[in-house]
Amino acid sequence: EAGVTQSPTHLIKTRGQQATLRCSPISGHTSVYWYQQALGLGLQFLLWYDEGEERNRGNFPPRFSGRQFPNYSSELNVNALELEDSALYLCASRSGGFYGYTFGSGTRLTVV
Amino acid sequence: ELKVEQNPLFLSMQEGKNYTIYCNYSTTSDRLYWYRQDPGKSLESLFVLLSNGAVKQEGRLMASLDTKARLSTLHITAAVHDLSATYFCAVSWASGTYKYIFGTGTRLKVLA
C-alpha cells in the first residue's frame, strides 16, 4: 500500500510569490490534514479537508488556502510568501475511523 | 487554550542509560500519540495510547498514559545511538476535527 505522497520535496520561492504544495493520501482515506513545522514554532495545524470541503483551519492568515480534489488529493497554496513561511509542510491522511494519521514525507519550502 | 508540554526539551545521554520523557497536557483528551522525527524527515508513528493506564512497548521504548494526571511518559531503556532523534507527543480527540495538538518536542542525543 502506497503511503501519503507529497510533492515537491523542496521548493524555493522568492518573497511575494505563490507556492503550491501537493499531497496524495493513502488510497481509501478521505481526510487530509496540513501541518506547518517552522523553526522554533513546532508543529502547528493548518487545514483539514474532508470529502472535498475545508472543514477546519488553524490560526493562519487567509493567504494560506487549499483545496481537495474528487480523488481526495489536496493542494496547499500559500500566496504573497513571506520569509517566515519557510518551513517543512507536512500532509497527513486518515481513514474514517480514528487511530491516528499517516504523515507524508513533507515539502521543505524556503522563501528567500 | 489546550497546551501540550514536553520535558526535557533537550536530552543528551550515554548509551546504555535509561531515561524518561514527559508529556503533560492541559485538558482531557481521547488519544495520545508519540512520534519520532529524524532531522529533515517526516514523522514516524511510535505509539497510540487510547485509555487510562495504557502501556505499549516496542524495543527499547515504552509509553504509558495516565489520563487523570494528564500525563504520558516515554521511557527509554538502555539507550543506543540509533535512538537519537526528536520525539513528539500529540493529543487529539475522537470526534470533531481530529486535529493534533503537538508537544514542543524533545531532542534526544545518545552519545556512544
Side-chain angles (χ1 to χ4, degrees):
Chain A
E1 176 183 82
V4 178
T5 57
Q6 291 187 245
S7 64
T9 305
H10 295 90
L11 190 57
I12 300 175
K13 291 286 186 178
T14 303
R15 190 170 49 184
Q17 286 187 317
Q18 178 193 37
T20 298
L21 288 64
R22 296 180 177 83
C23 172
S24 292
I26 290 173
S27 177
H29 286 193
T30 61
S31 276
V32 170
Y33 295 78
W34 289 94
Y35 285 81
Q36 182 198 64
Q37 187 177 26
L39 197 63
L41 294 178
L43 283 147
Q44 297 186 76
F45 167 72
L46 246 173
L47 287 160
W48 170 35
Y49 291 95
D50 184 59
E51 297 286 354
E53 302 282 336
E54 180 183 304
R55 302 295 184 180
N56 196 257
R57 66 183 293 127
N59 188 24
F60 284 84
R63 58 190 187 81
F64 287 83
S65 66
R67 53 181 172 167
Q68 187 178 33
F69 299 98
N71 66 354
Y72 303 116
S73 66
S74 176
E75 266 183 9
L76 173 68
N77 296 296
V78 189
N79 295 318
L81 284 164
E82 300 179 2
L83 295 177
E84 53 264 35
D85 297 333
S86 295
L88 179 67
Y89 289 84
L90 292 169
C91 170
S93 73
R94 71 172 177 89
S95 63
F98 191 55
Y99 294 97
Y101 312 145
T102 301
F103 281 91
S105 55
T107 294
R108 173 75 61 185
L109 173 63
T110 302
V111 182
V112 298
Chain B
E1 179 187 335
L2 174 62
K3 291 187 178 180
V4 182
E5 296 181 339
Q6 284 181 238
N7 68 82
L9 295 182
F10 299 98
L11 178 54
S12 180
M13 57 192 297
Q14 296 288 330
E15 277 195 331
K17 298 293 187 182
N18 304 332
Y19 210 83
T20 300
I21 299 170
Y22 297 88
C23 173
N24 289 89
Y25 51 100
S26 60
T27 189
T28 57
S29 163
D30 292 327
R31 277 125 171 81
L32 190 131
Y33 307 87
W34 285 97
Y35 285 88
R36 167 183 171 144
Q37 186 178 39
D38 291 297
K41 304 294 185 182
S42 188
L43 298 171
E44 174 191 352
S45 177
L46 294 174
F47 300 108
V48 180
L49 302 170
L50 302 178
S51 61
N52 187 43
V55 177
K56 291 198 173 178
Q57 183 163 6
E58 181 73 33
R60 301 174 187 275
L61 301 177
M62 183 174 71
S64 66
L65 178 62
D66 181 343
T67 57
K68 293 177 182 176
R70 297 177 187 165
L71 171 69
S72 180
T73 60
L74 181 67
H75 186 72
I76 302 158
T77 301
V80 293
H81 180 71
D82 285 351
L83 289 179
S84 298
T86 299
Y87 293 85
F88 290 94
C89 65
V91 299
S92 186
W93 298 267
S95 61
T97 68
Y98 302 94
K99 71 181 181 184
Y100 285 7
I101 306 297
F102 280 92
T104 46
T106 296
R107 184 183 290 181
L108 171 65
K109 185 173 183 179
V110 181
L111 305 173

